[in-house]
Amino acid sequence: MTSAKPPAPSPAPEEPSAPDAVAAGGAPSPSASSFAWARRRASVVRFWQHYRTHRAGLFGLAGLALVALAALAAPLLVGGDVQSVTRAPGRALEAPSGRFPLGTDQFGRPLLGLLVWGARISLTVGLLAAALSVAIGTLVGVLAGHYGGWAATVIMRITDWFLVMPTLVLAIVLATVMSRSVWTVIVAIGVTSWPTTARLVRAQTIAVESRPYIERARALGGGHGHIMSRHVLPNVMPLVLAQTTLGISSAILTEATLAFLGLGDPTIVSWGGMLQDAREAGAVSSGHWWYLAPPGLAIAFVALAFTLCGRAIETVLNPKLGVPR
Amino acid sequence: MSTASTPGVVRDAVDGPARTGPSDPAARAGTRTAYPLHVAGKLGGAAVSLLAVLVTSFFLFRIVPGDPVRAMTHGAPTSAEQLATLRRQFGLDLPLWQQFTDYCAKALTGDLGTSYQFHAPVGELIAAKLPATLLLTGVAVVIYSALGLWLGTRSAWHHGGLGDRLNTGVALTLWSVPSFWLGLLLIIVLSVGIGPVPGVFPTGGMESGGTAGFARVLDVAHHMVLPVATLVAVGYAQTLLVMRSSLLDEMGGDYLTTARAKGLRDDLVRRRHAVPNALLPTVTMVFINLGHVAGGSILVETVFSWPGLGGLFYQGLSVPDLPLVQGLFLVFAGAMIVMNLLADLLYPLLDPRVGR
């Protein structure tokens, strides 16, 4: 009902156990494996054909490609010493000019360079934090959905409890009590934002496991680990992908918030940190809007791009949600 | 779309907390017990959650590496004797379990400890700042819930059209904007003023002082315009999206066709038939937003120097003032739990389909 895709290729030809050889219809392993890959390839192609009909999703993807390219090429574009306070090329708080298109900060560093450099930390933290959060959420969700019983009830009560916690407050508290570093920020975001994924994945796991082919796999001797990793996980993955994309955008916003509150790594240039610097330099009271505007626009742009991609993926995978076109 | 009339779909639209799986028939049958039993269950759950918050707030600040006394002295050179005195003063020399029981016993009587920074009871500090926060975020939540409901309804009813796309697009864009940045920009443009634009609004604070009676009300309202505008702009998208998707779910329902077949006008079909059903997930949403009232505006309060709990939290962080931050954490999390409890209790009363 939820997934537009047929169940993932169920035979597991790589496993040498006897029941699975029967499950693959007695076919020799290589051809079964290539059959599985062909089906996977076909479903990716079908996914892309649906995805590209979503204009907003394409816009988001293009924006992401642009930012990712800038982040990767940052050392070439602006040079590695853009963060250096001692070798700053300009005077403090210069207005935009031909030499410094966005002006300079209070240390005389060019803001355009800092902005490009800041994309690296924003994307890194966003991706890793979302990956961590989705990994925890998927693990908890699949385990709770698969095993059921009182243990699952307890796990889901804990999930519900985390769901009720004010995420930002919890992340701020975690970032406060741990040492200042990028990893702290990643862990603080990842550990506080997994419950939504856990609930979604659990629901999807229960839906998948009610299908007859799971019963068949079980009858053929598939154990818990086999069923979860070979049958449930492939079917849950598309949903997880959409969730990750949406999670990245909120992780980036949270990262910027933590950096703005001074809880990030002070030695690393980030967009949130730039906004904090701007505020401390008195950019607000002196009306230096050109110092404040670009980092915020960059954050909003990247967060919006990820949100648009995530919504498009969600719509493609779950047509019932998808009236928004 | 034909499943729109089953409660499962309605309840799935918002990932409401503390629910049994709605698609599970056994669970649904289980909830068809008497309402008092439902109340008792939810009350028990909330009590357990509150207790868990209490435990978390204690261990979060003690097991995590870092010496609270070192944090208290904030890197200043302190002799071992002074450190020992401080430890004794704050009860940090006792065994952990004894600290824990002390802490719980005190917290249950409303004593949240003494702030390192203000040398005043945390409970009093919080009580003094609470009204300002309730005023600011309360007004903002009411405005953005209403705005989100209204725009979400319009968007869904004319879905696919230019208005819908524009609506959703603007909401998603504003949603992606960091609230503190929007606040700072609004201050620059409307309070400080750039170029020929004069500053119209105050840059921060809650009142200018020296006014009384009605003039004071006007003054506070004047100070509230920008922070409320910031909160509304960043917050209304969520309500809009939930309302839109739940109304879209309802729009395939056969009962709407029946209503139209009776000859009802379009806006009557919308107001009397579709919207009340679609409203239910949004009600949960509004309650969750109300739960955020206590803690949801840390950034905005900081940026606008609003004298509320969020600003207090920020002050506590910069020291770090652990008893204060810990007490605020209790309040923020407690507010969320209580609001969720209220939503859970109200839900079966509002929607008879959700088993009583």
Side-chain angles (χ1 to χ4, degrees), chain B residues 11 17-19 34-46 283-284 287 337-351 354-356:
Chain B
R11 300 178 76 190
R19 298 244 160 74
Y35 183 64
L37 209 64
H38 172 82
V39 174
K42 293 296 176 194
L43 278 177
V283 168
T284 314
F287 270 97
I337 292 174
V338 169
M339 280 302 157
N340 266 282
L341 174 69
L342 283 181
D344 276 341
L345 295 184
L346 267 180
Y347 216 81
L349 298 179
L350 292 175
D351 187 356
V354 180
R356 293 219 203 160

Side-chain angles (χ1 to χ4, degrees), chain A residues 3 11 33 58 81 94 96 109 138:
Chain A
S3 173
S33 162
L58 282 182
D81 59 350
E94 276 185 59
R109 300 179 292 183
T138 308

Side-chain angles (χ1 to χ4, degrees), chain B residues 49-331:
Chain B
S49 293
L50 278 174
L51 216 61
V53 168
L54 203 64
V55 175
T56 315
S57 69
F58 177 81
F59 285 104
L60 195 58
F61 292 101
R62 277 163 187 83
I63 289 198
V64 170
D67 187 347
V69 176
R70 290 240 174 259
M72 232 180 288
T73 57
H74 208 48
T78 325
S79 71
E81 268 170 58
Q82 280 172 306
L83 286 180
T85 320
L86 271 177
R87 274 211 182 83
R88 205 169 318 117
Q89 193 184 337
F90 285 94
L92 294 167
D93 54 341
L94 299 172
L96 201 61
W97 64 268
Q98 203 173 338
Q99 285 185 43
F100 179 61
T101 46
D102 281 1
Y103 167 76
C104 285
K106 276 187 175 171
L108 289 177
T109 58
D111 179 0
L112 296 173
T114 308
S115 157
Y116 299 162
Q117 187 182 7
F118 300 102
H119 301 288
V122 169
E124 279 176 26
L125 287 170
I126 292 177
K129 301 277 186 177
L130 189 62
T133 290
L134 289 185
L135 178 68
L136 176 68
T137 20
V139 169
V141 167
V142 168
I143 293 179
Y144 73 60
S145 298
L147 189 70
L149 283 181
W150 180 58
L151 290 177
T153 309
R154 281 179 45 132
S155 229
W157 208 250
H158 308 286
H159 69 91
L162 182 68
D164 173 32
R165 274 178 303 177
L166 210 66
N167 236 337
T168 327
V170 170
L172 278 178
T173 308
L174 284 173
W175 196 15
S176 311
V177 165
S179 60
F180 53 91
W181 175 72
L182 188 64
L184 291 175
L185 271 200
L186 285 179
I187 292 178
I188 286 197
V189 176
L190 295 173
S191 302
V192 179
I194 34 174
V197 186
V200 191
F201 294 103
T203 52
M206 191 173 164
E207 51 189 324
S208 317
T211 50
F214 187 62
R216 185 167 172 228
V217 173
L218 278 184
D219 185 42
V220 171
H222 190 209
H223 281 79
M224 272 173 68
V225 172
L226 289 187
V228 167
T230 309
L231 285 171
V232 168
V234 177
Y236 83 97
Q238 218 176 357
T239 323
L240 184 154
L241 292 176
V242 171
M243 185 61 196
R244 181 176 179 279
S245 73
S246 67
L247 188 55
L248 280 178
D249 269 347
E250 294 297 322
M251 278 170 69
D254 294 337
Y255 68 99
L256 291 186
T257 316
T258 311
R260 286 209 183 83
K262 287 194 303 190
L264 290 185
R265 273 183 293 121
D266 190 52
D267 73 307
L268 273 184
V269 174
R270 186 178 64 203
R271 280 209 326 262
R272 297 261 177 85
H273 293 261
V275 170
N277 273 325
L279 215 51
L280 293 159
T282 324
V283 168
T284 314
M285 186 85 240
V286 170
F287 270 97
I288 292 173
N289 288 338
L290 282 175
H292 279 300
V293 160
S297 61
I298 298 167
L299 273 299
V300 172
E301 285 189 10
T302 306
V303 166
F304 287 96
S305 6
W306 189 262
L309 294 183
L312 192 65
F313 190 65
Y314 181 67
Q315 281 177 314
L317 279 184
S318 43
V319 173
D321 188 344
L322 293 184
L324 183 61
V325 178
Q326 196 173 309
L328 284 167
F329 179 73
L330 270 183
V331 172

Side-chain angles (χ1 to χ4, degrees), chain A residues 160-161 164-165 170 172-173 176-177 199 253 257 260-261 275 279 284-285 289 292-293 296 300 304 320 323-324, chain B residues 15 18-19 49 53 56 60-61 64-65 159 176 180-181 188 192 194 244 249 299 302 314 317 329 336 340:
Chain A
D160 283 338
W161 182 78
V164 190
M165 284 298 102
L170 202 57
I172 289 175
V173 169
T176 310
V177 292
R199 284 201 75 87
L253 279 173
T257 307
F260 179 72
L261 288 176
L275 287 173
R279 185 157 176 257
V284 177
S285 48
W289 58 270
L292 266 174
L304 180 65
K320 205 182 93 39
V323 204
Chain B
D15 195 17
R19 298 244 160 74
S49 293
V53 168
T56 315
L60 195 58
F61 292 101
V64 170
H159 69 91
S176 311
F180 53 91
W181 175 72
I188 286 197
V192 179
I194 34 174
R244 181 176 179 279
D249 269 347
L299 273 299
T302 306
Y314 181 67
L317 279 184
F329 179 73
M336 287 292 288
N340 266 282

Side-chain angles (χ1 to χ4, degrees), chain A residues 227-294:
Chain A
I227 288 178
M228 279 189 280
S229 63
R230 296 266 162 194
H231 298 298
V232 173
L233 211 54
N235 272 303
V236 173
M237 269 345 253
L239 186 87
V240 167
L241 177 70
Q243 194 59 32
T244 314
T245 321
L246 291 172
I248 294 172
S249 102
S250 63
I252 285 177
L253 279 173
T254 313
E255 188 270 331
T257 307
L258 292 178
F260 179 72
L261 288 176
L263 297 172
D265 187 337
T267 59
I268 291 181
V269 172
S270 72
W271 291 335
M274 283 172 78
L275 287 173
Q276 191 206 11
D277 284 347
R279 185 157 176 257
E280 280 180 356
V284 177
S285 48
S286 51
H288 287 162
W289 58 270
W290 40 262
Y291 190 170
L292 266 174

